[in-house]
Amino acid sequence: MDPGVGLGRASLTPRARRSGQDLASLHERGKNVGIAMLRSSTLATVLLAGLLPGCHDAPTLPPGPSSGPADTRAPGPEELDDTLDHATVVRVVGNEIRIDDELVAQARPAAAPGGLDEELRATYVLAPLRKALREAGRSAATVVVLAPEAPLGHLRAVLTSAAGPVRVLLDRDPARAALTTTHALPRVQLAGPETEPPPELAIELPDDRPVGAVEALAVPTAEAPTLVLATDFAPCVVPPAGMRCIAGSGAAEHPTFYIDEADVTLAQYEACREAGACRGLGGRKHRAPASVSTSPEAPARLGLDPERAQAYCAWAGKRVATPSEQATAGLAHETEALRCATEHPFLTRFPPRILEAPRSPLALPEPPTPEELAIFTRVVDDPVQDKKICGAKVRASWHPSQLDGGRSEPGCRDPFTYLTTNEPRGYVWHAYIRDIGGAYVGIGSDQSYAFIAVARSRWAWVMDYDPRVVQNHLRLRAFILASPTPADFVALFAPEGKRRALAILDEAYADDPRLGILRWGYVATREDLHPYFVAQRKPSRRQRMAGKPMGWLRDPEAYRYIRTMFEQGRIAIKAGDLLMDGAMQQMGAAAHELGVPVRIYYTSNAPTAWGGQITPAYRRNVLALPFDVESLVLQTTDGGGSLLQKTKWHHNVQWGRLVHERLEQPGYDDVWKLLEGRIPGDDQALTVLGLPSG
């Protein structure tokens, strides 16, 4: 496991009783280094701020080389020479990190000792140091030499970058070759929150505290508890402009977060209003009294207006700071001024980085191996036939415009069948998903093929809970495989193509018990589908004006990609219900086994259509999808009229990791809460949410 740092807080459980004398000694040592100690009925526990990552394979600081009690004396010359001869020696001199007197990395500042890894997670790891240690290759053991006054952040950087056991030696002058006055930290282990067995005495120290503070806590007796440097929180990284980092603390029970250094000004709020993301401050309720300054640099009076405060902070790429965060940052509880905060060490304002750094084009995939196909095709259909169409009694509670259909319920499905998409503006997602690769999971009709072709998805599960939609996809697959060009495909729905189309179905599904219903469905829908597919071959006026032509039948290369995917068995048509345990969780497991992240999860408007409830099964289904830093959730919502949007459908693109983070919290129990914080995108039909900025 790569020792990055998670955001969650873990509990560390004492495992043995200690005498009152031991506890008193430790308490006195804690006072000497300025550490608060918390007593329990079994053991004193010291809780300080973020050290090491939560990994089972976190490096450790073992006792001395002997198998007996820890030796606190300075090692003799022969013992030290033997240690140095069989290990890689890392010297931390000031902010320089050296191996064999060669500068390999620069330590980060103690106030911001973390950096962002490829997954945009805060980590202490220094990539150049990790690479140098791997290339050294002399021993799995590493010795780090640093001054007692060096900040703990420097030590953690070395410890998390090392691949094997680490021994820490302190020296007033770590740059010199002779270490005659060096001594080791006794009886100290380094571990994350999942360490087994649980630690005897967990300590948490700020990154800017000196390494000598750990030595001061060590008790040089065989009966003393082992000190475990616990890591419950992410390290601070260099904060976004105008913000400061508040390191996580177990004692204060808060994770690492970032908060504005100054109140939001009227000028800043006005910029949000001009961008169309915030409403004005007009009206009696929001007009400042004569005694309040209206200078552009004066604070915006938003403390009593949560809706406007949330809109501004979202537009700024943050969220509203909680009262607890404001108190932790030393701000007044009761104020009409606004401070924004974020738990991420980056902003999420528009434009996102994926628009500023387009991805490299992806070629056609190579044919998969038999083993890969076996994993991919392992997914079993959900029993969607068990979910009946919503009856008249259920529909009586719906809006009059939906009495005949247009929505659903968690326990029954929409009376309408959607064999064609009624979301004509899907092209607004083009720039976000282009060449994103990975796996695709989506519902609905043939719009999925347009998304798959633009994304160049490597694997795709196209699913729906309506059996008639699934059957239509099965027919489309057979027709695509039998049609070299888009024109050939569309011709199968013309009157003169009927006989050939039925022959294709007979051949493709000769041994399939569904052949009869597939033939009947083609005959019943051909006349409606033919003009639809003819229109799909022509770019719409809106697309031409937007300069975003997209469509699997409009672009011969896109059609070729979909046909190749079907030929290679990389597209699976599945009966799947978003609200049912089964197929979707199996898709996530298969993607994980294939080593491919799900890069696109497309919901259409299904979650809002069933009422927006986040059911336990839906939560499990989405959390089962292996998202990575590039994963996106594409969703449409009907109505709302927010963010000055004038189109029927709101097309939203949301960072997949943010969806997972919210679903892991019990408070997010409906889709509207999952969508809180949307901001305007680059089209009047598009909003974005949580996408990391450039």
Side-chain angles (χ1 to χ4, degrees):
M1 176 176 179
D2 187 46
V5 180
L7 297 178
R9 176 173 180 268
S11 62
L12 297 170
T13 308
R15 66 176 177 184
R17 293 179 180 273
R18 292 297 166 194
S19 68
Q21 184 177 2
D22 285 338
L23 295 180
S25 173
L26 285 167
H27 182 60
E28 189 63 31
R29 290 171 181 270
K31 289 194 298 183
N32 290 339
V33 293
I35 300 171
M37 302 195 66
L38 307 178
R39 290 186 180 273
S40 70
S41 59
T42 58
L43 180 65
T45 303
V46 185
L47 298 174
L48 325 197
L51 283 184
L52 268 193
C55 304
H56 287 292
D57 57 358
T60 61
L61 289 167
S66 66
S67 59
D71 190 353
T72 60
R73 61 180 175 80
E78 293 182 1
E79 179 185 345
L80 184 59
D81 289 343
D82 183 65
T83 298
L84 300 182
D85 286 343
H86 296 85
T88 299
V89 180
V90 178
R91 298 176 186 272
V92 182
V93 182
N95 290 328
E96 295 183 349
I97 300 180
R98 305 174 184 175
I99 296 179
D100 294 335
D101 292 328
E102 178 185 353
L103 178 65
V104 296
Q106 288 283 349
R108 303 185 185 102
L116 295 182
D117 63 14
E118 293 181 354
E119 286 290 310
L120 295 184
R121 298 186 188 278
T123 177
Y124 287 104
V125 172
L126 292 168
L129 175 59
R130 167 165 286 187
K131 179 181 178 182
L133 287 171
R134 287 173 174 170
E135 291 175 349
R138 286 180 291 181
S139 172
T142 300
V143 172
V144 55
V145 183
L146 70 172
E149 61 270 17
L152 275 168
H154 289 8
L155 175 59
R156 291 166 188 160
V158 178
L159 294 170
T160 55
S161 301
V166 176
R167 185 174 185 186
V168 179
L169 303 179
L170 304 185
D171 193 284
R172 290 292 177 187
D173 184 6
R176 61 187 173 187
L179 300 176
T180 55
T181 62
T182 298
H183 55 286
L185 290 180
R187 295 188 65 81
V188 177
Q189 286 185 321
L190 185 62
E194 297 179 0
T195 301
E196 293 292 343
E200 292 180 281
L201 185 64
I203 67 173
E204 217 181 88
L205 280 168
D207 284 302
D208 58 0
R209 294 303 300 275
V211 176
V214 177
E215 180 194 18
L217 286 173
V219 181
T221 67
E223 295 299 320
T226 297
L227 301 178
V228 176
L229 306 184
T231 301
D232 292 348
F233 306 108
C236 283
V237 307
V238 175
M243 305 188 81
R244 59 189 171 105
C245 179
I246 307 295
S249 169
E253 296 185 338
H254 70 80
T256 300
F257 68 94
Y258 302 80
I259 190 167
D260 287 344
E261 291 188 294
D263 297 334
V264 174
T265 66
L266 286 170
Q268 290 171 323
Y269 188 85
E270 179 62 17
C272 178
R273 188 197 65 78
E274 291 178 352
C278 295
R279 292 189 295 159
L281 293 175
R284 180 179 302 175
K285 180 178 179 181
H286 305 291
R287 188 181 299 122
S291 59
V292 176
S293 173
T294 57
S295 164
E297 299 308 313
R301 301 173 65 252
L302 295 170
L304 302 179
D305 186 2
E307 183 179 344
R308 282 176 169 81
Q310 182 188 64
Y312 174 82
C313 287
W315 175 77
K318 315 167 193 178
R319 56 170 172 75
V320 178
T322 66
S324 174
E325 288 171 337
Q326 293 197 60
T328 300
L331 304 176
H333 284 286
E334 301 296 334
T335 176
E336 292 187 1
L338 173 65
R339 299 281 180 112
C340 302
T342 176
E343 62 273 21
H344 297 124
F346 50 83
L347 301 182
T348 56
R349 46 181 326 170
F350 193 87
R353 67 175 190 162
I354 57 178
L355 296 187
E356 296 182 329
R359 307 177 187 92
S360 300
L362 292 175
L364 288 170
E366 295 294 326
T369 66
E371 293 76 17
E372 289 174 329
L373 282 176
I375 296 170
F376 178 65
T377 58
R378 189 182 300 159
V379 177
V380 178
D381 287 337
D382 287 333
V384 296
Q385 66 280 356
D386 295 344
K387 179 168 283 190
K388 305 303 180 184
I389 293 175
C390 296
K393 290 185 178 180
V394 174
R395 300 200 302 273
S397 63
W398 296 355
H399 188 274
S401 65
Q402 300 172 324
L403 293 182
D404 293 328
R407 64 162 293 176
S408 63
E409 297 284 347
C412 59
R413 55 186 170 89
D414 193 332
F416 288 166
T417 290
Y418 300 89
L419 301 186
T420 62
T421 180
N422 60 358
E423 300 170 4
R425 288 178 176 262
Y427 61 83
V428 300
W429 286 319
H430 184 281
Y432 297 84
I433 66 176
R434 181 175 52 204
D435 293 305
I436 199 171
Y440 174 92
V441 174
I443 69 169
S445 59
D446 67 300
Q447 69 263 44
S448 281
Y449 302 144
F451 303 149
I452 293 167
V454 170
R456 310 293 267 192
S457 302
R458 285 0 214 177
W459 301 95
W461 288 277
V462 179
M463 58 184 282
D464 206 89
Y465 80 149
D466 188 335
R468 293 166 293 184
V469 175
V470 177
Q471 293 156 15
N472 190 56
H473 277 297
L474 294 174
R475 289 190 291 269
L476 298 185
R477 176 174 64 185
F479 295 156
I480 292 169
L481 289 171
S483 304
T485 69
D488 296 329
F489 170 85
V490 176
L492 294 175
F493 292 87
E496 58 273 19
K498 178 178 178 180
R499 180 175 296 179
R500 171 162 165 73
L502 290 174
I504 291 172
L505 293 177
D506 289 342
E507 181 179 355
Y509 298 102
D511 300 322
D512 196 314
R514 298 170 294 184
L515 175 59
I517 197 168
L518 293 176
R519 285 174 56 92
W520 177 87
Y522 166 77
V523 173
T525 62
R526 181 193 61 77
E527 292 184 1
D528 292 330
L529 290 177
H530 182 243
Y532 169 77
F533 287 130
V534 169
Q536 291 297 300
R537 292 205 61 204
K538 303 175 182 178
S540 69
R541 182 176 64 86
R542 288 174 182 156
Q543 283 186 291
R544 289 196 300 269
M545 292 177 62
K548 300 176 180 177
M550 184 174 79
W552 68 285
L553 291 175
R554 294 185 180 104
D555 181 0
E557 183 59 31
Y559 181 83
R560 178 186 173 217
Y561 191 83
I562 295 301
R563 192 162 183 258
T564 300
M565 291 282 286
F566 271 126
E567 288 173 340
Q568 295 185 1
R570 289 179 175 270
I571 298 180
I573 308 302
K574 305 307 299 181
D577 189 337
L578 300 180
L579 297 173
M580 188 179 295
D581 289 303
M584 195 166 165
Q585 293 171 32
Q586 294 174 41
M587 294 172 194
H592 181 79
E593 191 170 350
L594 288 167
V596 179
V598 172
R599 289 278 173 78
I600 297 179
Y601 168 48
Y602 169 65
T603 74
S604 186
N605 70 318
T608 52
W610 74 58
Q613 306 96 314
I614 302 300
T615 67
Y618 183 69
R619 192 183 302 271
R620 289 190 291 268
N621 285 340
V622 180
L623 288 175
L625 302 179
F627 289 163
D628 71 355
V629 70
E630 293 193 67
S631 297
L632 302 174
V633 176
L634 310 181
Q635 181 171 331
T636 56
T637 59
D638 186 7
S642 61
L643 300 172
L644 306 181
Q645 190 166 336
K646 297 180 176 63
T647 58
K648 170 181 171 60
W649 294 106
H650 294 256
H651 292 71
N652 189 70
V653 54
Q654 186 172 3
W655 194 35
R657 280 248 298 273
L658 178 62
V659 174
H660 273 185
E661 288 172 10
R662 290 185 170 183
L663 286 175
E664 287 169 349
Q665 302 177 50
Y668 289 93
D669 53 6
D670 68 66
V671 68
W672 299 111
K673 291 181 181 179
L674 287 182
L675 293 174
E676 284 180 351
R678 292 179 291 169
I679 60 176
D682 52 352
D683 188 283
Q684 66 170 348
L686 177 71
T687 52
V688 301
L689 176 56
L691 303 183
S693 302

